[in-house]
Amino acid sequence: MEYQLSFLKSLQDLLILRPLFFLGLLCVILLCLFLFRRHHQSPNIRILAGSVLLYYYMCIMLKHVTGVPTLRDWIWMTDLGESIFHPSLQLIPFGADLGFSFFLNIFLFIPFGFLCPMISRSYARLSRTVLTGIGLSLIIELSQLFILYRATDINDIIANGLGAILGCLCYRLLSGFFFRKKYLLSQSPDPLIHFPVILFFLAFFFTFVS
């Protein structure tokens, strides 16, 4: 019984975000509606839901799993006389025992690869989703140069890219995108083509100031 309560408490701590993060959530919804209005398109519930889920997931991942610098940590390190720059690099692909962390990093970016094409049809193209996932993973890894006890590891970037691939393929299979080439090749404006990246930076910012 105590073990169950401890597990539920840990899960609650993981899933519940501070009120500040909900200011970011409001920004997500307003930006999404603004982009639809600007392009004279009706709001889409699927896209709104995907945007909210991606922002929420990114906040949890950046705050509790991958770890990115926070203003509070920097103030704490400065008060202790510590430098905020703590480089620890692993730049050789598969140069060390991959272990559980490699597969965890694959799993972490599967939701990203799944939700991006849910938000913007441009990400139904596997190459865009993968390159975006790798780029954002690189930003996360570089930010870890400014955190104590974190390592910037190229294997994490590779694993995150694989996770983005799996997530995108899962979405395409579930949505039937393999059979909807007209949708993939549509020339109509995609008002949310940059929105997944914007969501990432919103989550990153609110994690930093939290």
Side-chain angles (χ1 to χ4, degrees), residues 32-33 36 41-49 118:
C32 195
L33 294 175
F36 275 117
Q41 297 185 18
S42 300
N44 184 299
I45 297 300
R46 174 179 58 86
I47 293 174
L48 279 171
M118 186 174 174

Side-chain angles (χ1 to χ4, degrees), residues 109 112 127-142 157 160-161 164 197 200-201:
F109 261 66
F112 175 84
S127 58
R128 181 180 292 276
T129 300
V130 174
L131 290 176
T132 302
I134 289 173
L136 299 183
S137 176
L138 178 61
I139 292 172
I140 294 172
E141 292 301 310
L142 291 176
I157 298 174
N160 293 158
V197 177
F200 170 83
F201 281 108

Side-chain angles (χ1 to χ4, degrees), residues 31-159:
L31 276 172
C32 195
L33 294 175
F34 169 77
L35 289 172
F36 275 117
R37 184 179 179 85
R38 183 181 178 185
H39 290 267
H40 308 290
Q41 297 185 18
S42 300
N44 184 299
I45 297 300
R46 174 179 58 86
I47 293 174
L48 279 171
S51 299
V52 169
L53 285 172
L54 182 58
Y55 169 78
Y56 175 72
Y57 178 75
M58 281 291 179
C59 286
I60 291 175
M61 183 177 70
L62 295 175
K63 181 69 175 177
H64 298 299
V65 186
T66 62
V68 295
T70 67
L71 186 59
R72 180 178 299 184
D73 289 339
W74 281 5
I75 293 173
W76 174 72
M77 286 190 292
T78 302
D79 289 342
L80 292 177
E82 286 273 359
S83 169
I84 63 172
F85 185 59
H86 293 272
S88 177
L89 302 174
Q90 170 55 257
L91 301 179
I92 302 175
F94 310 113
D97 183 21
L98 300 180
F100 174 74
S101 64
F102 183 80
F103 297 98
L104 175 62
N105 276 288
I106 292 176
F107 176 78
L108 281 177
F109 261 66
I110 290 177
F112 175 84
F114 186 89
L115 291 171
C116 279
M118 186 174 174
I119 297 167
S120 166
R121 67 172 179 272
S122 299
Y123 289 84
R125 291 179 172 86
L126 189 62
S127 58
R128 181 180 292 276
T129 300
V130 174
L131 290 176
T132 302
I134 289 173
L136 299 183
S137 176
L138 178 61
I139 292 172
I140 294 172
E141 292 301 310
L142 291 176
S143 77
Q144 292 177 349
L145 294 170
F146 302 91
I147 313 176
L148 280 169
Y149 314 122
R150 289 280 185 173
T152 298
D153 192 339
I154 192 171
N155 290 322
D156 291 348
I157 298 174
I158 294 170

